[in-house]
Amino acid sequence: GENVEQHPSTLSVQEGDSAVIKCTYSDSASNYFPWYKQELGKRPQLIIDIRSNVGEKKDQRIAVTLNKTAKHFSLHITETQPEDSAVYFCAARNTGNQFYFGTGTSLTVIP
Amino acid sequence: DGGITQSPKYLFRKEGQNVTLSCEQNLNHDAMYWYRQDPGQGLRLIYYSQIVNDFQKGDIAEGYSVSREKKESFPLTVTSAQKNPTAFYLCASSLAPSTDTQYFGPGTRLTVL
């Protein structure tokens, strides 16, 4: 099956700085990679996603990059704000339509 | 997200008892999923269903059972065979198994006393 690893597990940045979270996956056939933001006690919310035929996608302050050869993808948040503080999860979907999640990154944006 | 609901929000169970968690969606989605979330860990797939009357085991199905008799409903039963059931349980759905976006319910926090 698929194995998704996520780093770092915790990340603290100053407000206005950038944050980068990285994930690797093992199944080269995985074809869809979403990123979720989860606030304490709440449901995960999709913030951005990328398909395997695309190398980069951007939505305002958030971007995701995918390197299929190296089997890793990254979340980039620019101009961070305190409301960006949350736990972020990456995931990979395999050809059996199952999602495998990383272990999460707790992001703290310091005002 | 408002179209997928879970109940109850908090659930307490005594050891040795079975308990059923509800998941309902009015999004007309074919695919539904159950995940378990433990502190410091990602979401782990328990069961998923790609169509009514069909479901498959995920990575941690032991001690759990599901049914999919209706398109909008995918209840999860945590049986007494599940050795460590205390966790946050999340239900999710997507339009079709191959459709990208997966929407999550608000979750049920199960505590075994």
Side-chain angles (χ1 to χ4, degrees):
Chain A
E2 175 66 279
N3 181 45
V4 177
E5 295 189 358
Q6 182 172 346
H7 299 281
S9 57
T10 60
L11 179 61
S12 293
V13 298
Q14 291 289 334
E15 182 177 359
D17 287 350
S18 295
V20 180
I21 303 170
K22 299 181 179 180
C23 288
T24 61
Y25 60 100
S26 60
D27 186 351
S28 57
S30 288
N31 53 27
Y32 172 66
F33 307 91
W35 284 90
Y36 290 89
K37 175 183 179 181
Q38 186 179 30
E39 298 177 354
L40 190 63
K42 301 288 183 63
R43 72 186 83 189
Q45 300 271 8
L46 178 72
I47 56 171
I48 197 166
D49 55 11
I50 192 166
R51 295 185 180 88
S52 57
N53 59 348
V54 176
E56 184 174 359
K57 183 177 178 180
K58 188 174 182 180
D59 182 6
Q60 299 183 344
R61 297 186 297 109
I62 296 173
V64 56
T65 58
L66 172 65
N67 183 325
K68 285 181 60 179
T69 302
K71 290 187 285 187
H72 68 70
F73 55 112
S74 300
L75 176 71
H76 304 253
I77 306 174
T78 59
E79 302 173 19
T80 54
Q81 302 167 2
E83 50 265 38
D84 293 331
S85 296
V87 178
Y88 292 81
F89 292 97
C90 63
R93 185 186 67 191
N94 67 6
T95 52
N97 297 318
Q98 295 182 48
F99 286 82
Y100 291 85
F101 287 78
T103 51
T105 296
S106 179
L107 173 65
T108 301
V109 179
I110 304 166
Chain B
D1 287 358
I4 180 166
T5 59
Q6 292 183 242
S7 61
K9 187 173 182 179
Y10 298 97
L11 188 57
F12 298 89
R13 186 196 96 175
K14 292 182 180 179
E15 281 193 30
Q17 290 181 338
N18 293 355
V19 63
T20 297
L21 283 58
S22 168
C23 178
E24 305 278 333
Q25 53 96 2
N26 62 3
L27 302 169
N28 200 34
H29 286 178
D30 281 326
M32 297 186 75
Y33 308 80
W34 273 106
Y35 295 92
R36 171 181 171 139
Q37 186 174 29
D38 294 284
Q41 297 194 35
L43 282 67
R44 292 183 291 167
L45 183 65
I46 305 172
Y47 269 98
Y48 66 107
S49 168
Q50 303 193 59
I51 198 168
V52 176
N53 292 322
D54 185 56
F55 48 84
Q56 290 82 39
K57 293 181 179 180
D59 291 338
I60 57 167
E62 185 175 353
Y64 299 97
S65 66
V66 294
S67 63
R68 187 84 188 276
E69 297 177 359
K70 298 185 296 182
K71 188 174 185 177
E72 59 269 24
S73 179
F74 191 41
L76 173 74
T77 296
V78 184
T79 75
S80 56
Q82 170 50 236
K83 297 306 178 186
N84 186 20
T86 295
F88 189 49
Y89 290 87
L90 285 160
C91 179
S93 71
S94 62
L95 183 59
S98 59
T99 302
D100 296 338
T101 306
Q102 195 173 71
Y103 297 92
F104 284 88
T108 292
R109 187 166 298 280
L110 173 64
T111 302
V112 175
L113 303 173

